[in-house]
Amino acid sequence: MSDARPEHACDVLEHIAKSLVEQPDGVSVEVVDLDGKSQLNLHVADGDMGRVIGKRGRMASAIRTVTRAAAARDGVEVDIEFVD
Amino acid sequence: MEWVETTGKTVEEAKDLALDQLGVDHQDAEFEVVEEPKTGLFGRVRGEARVRARIAPKSPRPKNDRRRGGRSKGKGEGEGRSNQRDGQRSNGRSDQRDGVNAGGSQGSRPKSQGDSPKRESQPREERPPMDADEQCKVASVFLSGLVTSFGLTGEVTANLDEDDFLNVGVQGEGLGLLIGPGLNTLDALQELTRNAVQRQADGREYGRVVVDVDGVRARRRAALEQFVADAAKKVVETGDTVVFEVMSSADRKVVHDTVGDLDGVVSGSEGEDPRRRVVLKPA
């Protein structure tokens, strides 16, 4: 593929995560290039995982929806994973 | 806030129906099970489940003083039902947190308190609700940061109205990406904004967050109302039943409200969330 990093998707994901967690400093986004798409791994501090996932994964799914919309601006398809 | 009372074969069914009428999600409502369904021999249902529900109130403001005064008089003076009104802030998410903090001295969660007054489970003195301006600020900072992260430009405004809706709006060009198909992205944004506010207000928020982009919600609502009115007309003319596509609880409420004003047609819902749909039948 290209070296196009999904900048907007990363920024958006990071902004959202930082606004939801107890420890914003513990948030980081890692991009892994997969075949034809990118995987964004969201890392959060211990104990903040619940906040980004939410009840029945509601937050996680909202985060995915919004981040994917941002990725559309980057012209990239992304998967978002939540990593401890 | 209004209570609605519904019945169903199961408590869940009755709750779903109530959510439809209220037009909110499960987490924004509070329930009281008035009657469990009675199961007869061989599991046949003999009595319907009956629940009362309403939109969970989030505004703790005006009740503070009154409640404090009441508590000092002592708890459990058999105020029973009349207490409901004073105690109506007790099921908000924020109060749960308070309830936990205060578990030792103030008793347990309202649910387990039977019919004793609810007020004692919520010491609010040290936790005044967040200032309206501050809530607006938290919401707009989150949202404008988000718009910027998207690489978009938009003006974000926020206000907390007298019904405690925290309206956050984004105005600008080319913001369609923030809306998404079927308002998917917008609804997700709203959910995230609400949580960001909750996170930062730490349970002291009370506004119900509504996020809109370029007034699309109002436009869409008008379109939905028109669509429903047309469908209702068809039902009346032909006597046929019309089944709508799957809708969110908020949209279903719009349908029910629209149909409620019309003659010759009634609305009902079938299916389970998130695949619940409205059905129009001739009255």
Side-chain angles (χ1 to χ4, degrees):
Chain A
M1 262 271 296
S2 62
D3 51 10
R5 183 184 143 96
E7 292 295 342
H8 291 114
C10 290
D11 287 356
V12 164
L13 182 56
E14 192 174 325
H15 175 70
I16 294 172
K18 286 192 168 175
S19 308
L20 296 178
V21 298
E22 201 93 47
Q23 301 172 55
D25 291 343
V27 172
S28 65
V29 177
E30 169 197 16
V31 187
V32 182
D33 276 329
L34 297 178
D35 204 19
K37 55 160 112 173
S38 295
Q39 181 172 318
L40 307 188
N41 291 329
L42 175 68
H43 299 265
V44 298
D46 288 351
D48 273 336
M49 192 50 86
R51 291 186 182 277
V52 290
I53 290 181
K55 252 191 267 172
R56 293 201 203 169
R58 281 182 71 120
M59 274 308 106
S61 114
I63 292 173
R64 287 199 168 99
T65 302
V66 176
T67 308
R68 289 210 173 105
R73 268 180 84 71
D74 302 312
V76 185
E77 207 180 314
V78 296
D79 274 340
I80 297 101
E81 295 296 331
F82 300 84
V83 192
D84 261 319
Chain B
M1 291 277 182
E2 297 280 317
W3 286 92
V4 298
E5 193 166 316
T6 53
T7 59
K9 285 200 198 93
T10 62
V11 171
E12 280 313 307
E13 199 178 300
K15 280 184 178 177
D16 278 348
L17 202 61
L19 289 179
D20 258 24
Q21 291 185 13
L22 293 171
V24 296
D25 280 343
H26 203 274
Q27 58 178 356
D28 291 328
E30 73 180 64
F31 295 102
E32 240 180 49
V33 177
V34 180
E35 210 173 338
E36 297 272 354
K38 293 191 194 71
T39 320
L41 201 55
F42 306 127
R44 277 177 304 173
V45 178
R46 288 171 55 201
E48 295 207 296
R50 184 178 294 274
V51 303
R52 266 157 50 84
R54 65 173 174 172
I55 299 175
K58 289 196 170 171
S59 162
R61 291 170 301 174
K63 306 294 180 189
N64 257 352
D65 294 341
R66 222 185 302 165
R67 191 181 295 135
R68 204 180 305 161
R71 196 184 307 131
S72 64
K73 273 211 185 90
K75 42 190 174 178
E77 296 199 343
E79 296 173 65
R81 260 251 139 51
S82 68
N83 229 316
Q84 198 83 36
R85 192 154 298 163
D86 285 345
Q88 70 180 198
R89 307 302 179 199
S90 54
N91 281 348
R93 185 181 310 217
S94 53
D95 295 291
Q96 296 188 5
R97 193 172 314 202
D98 284 356
V100 172
N101 290 345
S105 57
Q106 297 286 349
S108 51
R109 295 277 304 120
K111 263 216 176 93
S112 54
Q113 278 179 261
D115 54 1
S116 67
K118 288 181 175 178
R119 57 175 63 161
E120 60 204 59
S121 65
Q122 30 188 314
R124 274 221 163 259
E125 287 87 351
E126 292 147 45
R127 310 210 32 166
M130 194 183 228
D131 184 41
D133 288 342
E134 212 176 325
Q135 291 185 61
C136 290
K137 197 170 149 224
V138 170
S140 19
V141 166
F142 171 72
L143 210 55
S144 48
L146 198 71
V147 173
T148 310
S149 305
F150 261 82
L152 298 167
T153 341
E155 193 194 337
V156 178
T157 53
N159 74 293
L160 193 81
D161 66 23
E162 62 270 29
D163 295 322
D164 284 348
F165 282 96
L166 177 44
N167 301 294
V168 200
V170 190
Q171 307 286 326
E173 295 288 318
L175 298 178
L177 204 55
L178 299 180
I179 298 170
L183 268 54
N184 273 344
T185 311
L186 184 58
D187 286 338
L189 273 184
Q190 178 168 297
E191 182 120 1
L192 294 174
T193 308
R194 185 180 62 217
N195 265 266
V197 173
Q198 275 167 2
R199 165 79 272 284
Q200 281 163 65
D202 197 20
R204 296 182 302 121
E205 82 288 344
Y206 53 85
R208 299 171 60 77
V209 174
V210 178
V211 177
D212 203 350
V213 171
D214 277 336
V216 68
R217 285 198 192 277
R219 281 204 308 280
R220 195 168 171 282
R221 185 189 167 106
L224 180 56
E225 282 170 355
Q226 186 57 51
F227 175 74
V228 170
D230 291 347
K233 206 169 141 198
K234 209 176 105 203
V235 170
V236 173
E237 280 166 15
T238 64
D240 290 342
T241 296
V242 170
V243 181
F244 286 135
E245 60 186 280
V246 169
M247 287 179 195
S248 68
S249 54
D251 282 350
R252 293 198 302 267
K253 176 170 168 56
V254 174
V255 178
H256 292 309
D257 288 352
T258 309
V259 170
D261 294 337
L262 301 171
D263 289 332
V265 54
V266 290
S267 60
S269 297
E270 52 188 47
E272 294 289 323
D273 259 331
R275 302 206 44 80
R276 195 160 166 82
R277 44 180 96 227
V278 182
V279 182
L280 299 193
K281 292 182 183 143

